[in-house]
Amino acid sequence: MAVLEVLVYPDARLKQKSRPVEEFSEPLLHFIADLEETMAAGPPSVGIAAPQVGRFERILLVDVSCKPKIKSHGRLIMINPEITDKEGNIVGREGCLSVPDYTGNVARWERIEVTAFDKLGNRHVYSMEGFEARAVQHEMDHLDGLLFLDRVVSRRDGLFRRKVYGKKSSETDSRRS
Ligand SMILES: [Zn+2]
């Protein structure tokens, strides 16, 4: 296993669209293990997407279980995810491993149904809401070459500079993903 380098804005590769995974094989499992290790090694975060480490395939990892008061599915690996239903709209604060100096307010679907494959190629349908739904939408944006900076509600008053990079105590509302 290895900790991979995380691409940081304004690296142009973050704008690249990722292709679907076609083969569920041993190299995929190795890559997912590396992605998990990379997420664990970095500053506190609730998700990471393959293109953030320069692999342009539709793979993401989300885990919001660090927030004990919200409903979640625990650690989720989603491959070729598709939103199949959506409802509501809510603005919330987001951070990103690839945008280390800022957080921003972004509008997302409040509830979503997502279809995705796990690392063994089994198809699942997830219903999720709130922060977990937000994290998945944020990671899915990475697969299409979008950052939260592209969606922030207002460049003037919807973008916030982080006070201290990597300081854990201030991360509760703006964990990176
Ligand atoms: Zn991100």
Side-chain angles (χ1 to χ4, degrees), residues 52 95-98 138-139 142 147 177:
Q52 287 181 277
C96 182
L97 290 168
S98 296
H138 174 113
E139 299 310 333
H142 280 298
L147 297 173
S177 48

Side-chain angles (χ1 to χ4, degrees), residues 152-163:
V152 56
V153 290
S154 160
R155 281 263 171 186
R156 189 167 55 83
D157 55 13
L159 199 57
F160 307 88
R161 184 170 265 281
R162 282 187 191 273
K163 288 195 181 76

Side-chain angles (χ1 to χ4, degrees), residues 22-116:
E22 286 172 0
E23 201 178 336
F24 293 85
S25 58
E26 197 68 19
L28 178 69
L29 298 179
H30 283 293
F31 171 70
I32 288 169
D34 286 348
L35 197 61
E36 290 179 318
E37 193 175 343
T38 302
M39 181 169 147
S45 65
V46 294
I48 190 169
Q52 287 181 277
V53 296
R55 180 155 169 151
F56 300 97
E57 291 190 282
R58 303 185 79 81
I59 302 165
L60 62 84
L61 209 162
V62 160
D63 186 351
V64 299
S65 61
C66 57
K67 294 194 164 204
K69 288 180 183 169
I70 59 170
K71 276 193 276 180
S72 87
H73 293 82
R75 176 174 294 191
L76 281 180
I77 292 151
M78 295 183 148
I79 298 171
N80 301 345
E82 302 276 357
I83 292 178
T84 44
D85 203 2
K86 60 209 177 191
E87 191 183 51
N89 202 267
I90 188 163
V91 173
R93 189 74 73 89
E94 297 186 13
C96 182
L97 290 168
S98 296
V99 188
D101 296 336
Y102 289 90
T103 63
N105 285 336
V106 179
R108 300 285 187 188
W109 301 110
E110 192 171 5
R111 283 173 291 282
I112 55 174
E113 184 185 89
V114 193
T115 303

